[in-house]
Amino acid sequence: GQQLNQSPQSMFIQEGEDVSMNCTSSSIFNTWLWYKQDPGEGPVLLIALYKAGELTSNGRLTAQFGITRKDSFLNISASIPSDVGIYFCAGPTTSGTYKYIFGTGTRLKVLA
Amino acid sequence: NAGVTQTPKFRILKIGQSMTLQCTQDMNHNYMYWYRQDPGMGLKLIYYSVGAGITDKGEVPNGYNVSRSTTEDFPLRLELAAPSQTSVYFCASSYRTGSAEAFFGQGTRLTVV
């Protein structure tokens, strides 16, 4: 079946540093989503991308829809302690636009 | 602004017991979903619904059942609980076809012993 691979699996960074993570798929997606999950909470949508090559920002977060449509990237600039959490990419399965599959997540820890 | 509400937040079940996880949303969303999240893993889709009276299987439906009698409610039923169903369960909803803007509840942490 379809899989979304996220890299890195986890990372420790110093406060103030920039962070980059990516998500790759074995098949083409027409939508890419980035969610963040705080400990003990449900995921919250950060950014949605609908078009190949699209670059979208949300505050210190910037995400890009890869040209090949098989990957997406999320960057966080000037990280702060509240950025800690798990970042998931997600996209609709080919069998129907209602069903989304999620990557395994990138766990971010920010050292003050 | 309630959004998506799940109950209970925590539950311990014995093997073979049954229970229903409740989910309700007040955003008039047509699409609702149930996911499970195992430790250190992403979310796996169990069942989804595109409207009242319509449900369909996701990636991991075995051992679960759902119903959607109203737009607001989408309960998940576990029959004959097994240790493999120990997980955190999330309900979500969205308001249009293929919508990226899925809103999640806070989750139900279930342990089967």
Side-chain angles (χ1 to χ4, degrees), chain B residues 38-51:
Chain B
D38 297 329
M41 302 296 287
L43 288 83
K44 298 276 189 191
L45 182 64
I46 305 171
Y47 269 95
Y48 69 102
S49 169
V50 301

Side-chain angles (χ1 to χ4, degrees), chain B residues 12 18 26 28 39-40 46 52 64 73 77 79-81 83 86-87 93 98:
Chain B
I12 298 175
S18 300
D26 61 1
N28 202 32
I46 305 171
Y64 307 94
D73 301 308
R77 178 84 179 158
E79 305 281 2
L80 299 174
T86 295
S87 191
S93 70

Side-chain angles (χ1 to χ4, degrees), chain A residues 1-111:
Chain A
Q2 285 180 302
Q3 282 189 328
L4 291 180
N5 298 307
Q6 287 190 245
S7 178
Q9 286 189 319
S10 63
M11 54 197 312
F12 285 84
I13 59 168
Q14 292 285 341
E15 183 177 357
E17 286 184 345
D18 296 344
V19 175
S20 292
M21 60 188 78
N22 67 69
C23 183
T24 59
S25 168
S26 56
S27 53
I28 290 173
F29 278 10
N30 53 28
T31 301
W32 282 101
L33 320 172
W34 285 94
Y35 283 86
K36 183 193 177 199
Q37 184 178 27
D38 290 327
E41 300 288 329
V44 174
L45 182 69
L46 298 173
I47 294 177
L49 303 162
Y50 298 101
K51 191 176 172 183
E54 181 181 351
L55 189 71
T56 297
S57 292
N58 178 5
R60 293 178 296 106
L61 278 63
T62 302
Q64 183 163 23
F65 193 137
I67 292 292
T68 66
R69 295 168 63 193
K70 290 186 176 182
D71 54 13
S72 180
F73 310 90
L74 178 69
N75 295 310
I76 305 172
S77 62
S79 58
I80 59 178
S82 62
D83 290 334
V84 68
I86 307 175
Y87 293 79
F88 291 104
C89 62
T93 65
T94 53
S95 60
T97 56
Y98 313 120
K99 297 193 288 188
Y100 286 87
I101 61 170
F102 282 73
T104 51
T106 292
R107 284 148 187 79
L108 180 64
K109 298 188 181 181
V110 180
L111 305 172

Side-chain angles (χ1 to χ4, degrees), chain B residues 10-91:
Chain B
F10 305 94
R11 184 72 185 269
I12 298 175
L13 277 183
K14 293 186 178 177
I15 294 172
Q17 285 186 321
S18 300
M19 77 164 293
T20 299
L21 281 65
Q22 301 291 346
C23 175
T24 187
Q25 52 93 7
D26 61 1
M27 296 172 282
N28 202 32
H29 287 174
N30 284 329
Y31 303 95
M32 295 189 75
Y33 316 83
W34 274 105
Y35 290 89
R36 61 177 286 173
Q37 184 177 30
D38 297 329
M41 302 296 287
L43 288 83
K44 298 276 189 191
L45 182 64
I46 305 171
Y47 269 95
Y48 69 102
S49 169
V50 301
I54 306 170
T55 63
D56 206 349
K57 297 177 181 179
E59 300 172 82
V60 290
N62 292 343
Y64 307 94
N65 277 302
V66 294
S67 60
R68 184 94 182 272
S69 56
T70 66
T71 299
E72 295 78 19
D73 301 308
F74 190 40
L76 177 72
R77 178 84 179 158
L78 278 73
E79 305 281 2
L80 299 174
S84 61
Q85 294 178 304
T86 295
S87 191
V88 180
Y89 291 83
F90 288 101
C91 178

